Amino acid sequence: MDQISDRKNKEENWVRDLSLSEAMKKLSPRENHIISLRFFEGRTQMEVAEEIHISQAQVSRLEKNALKTMRNYLS
């Protein structure tokens, strides 16, 4: 039974990862970079802002728009 459940989890993870990858393709390069830094590298908005030389407020706005784009694609 554990093997069946494990296979199901792997399939669900694969589908989720594929969907997420496709959703990220809908973003601009800048938005993609911000989402990658924030959610895959665990950076704060301040750290992202310093790295790409924009304000934290701009990072927040771009992140919000990127997540909305991804959510719309996935729904």
Side-chain angles (χ1 to χ4, degrees):
M1 189 67 180
D2 289 338
Q3 291 178 346
I4 293 171
S5 177
D6 189 45
R7 187 176 335 135
K8 182 180 176 193
N9 288 339
K10 285 181 184 179
E11 290 172 3
E12 288 173 359
N13 289 342
W14 180 80
V15 170
R16 185 198 66 223
D17 292 346
L18 181 61
S19 297
L20 182 59
S21 177
E22 289 301 313
M24 288 190 69
K25 289 179 183 177
K26 303 298 180 190
L27 305 177
S28 71
R30 185 181 215 181
E31 290 172 330
N32 196 308
H33 186 60
I34 289 170
I35 295 298
S36 294
L37 290 173
R38 288 278 292 133
F39 296 100
F40 296 104
E41 294 185 25
R43 306 268 185 93
T44 65
Q45 288 183 349
M46 255 339 252
E47 291 170 333
V48 173
E50 290 173 8
E51 180 171 323
I52 62 176
H53 309 290
I54 61 174
S55 72
Q56 179 274 325
Q58 287 175 298
V59 170
S60 179
R61 182 180 52 78
L62 289 166
E63 178 184 315
K64 182 179 177 181
N65 289 337
L67 293 174
K68 181 180 177 183
T69 298
M70 292 172 68
R71 194 172 18 250
N72 288 340
Y73 173 78
L74 292 170
S75 57

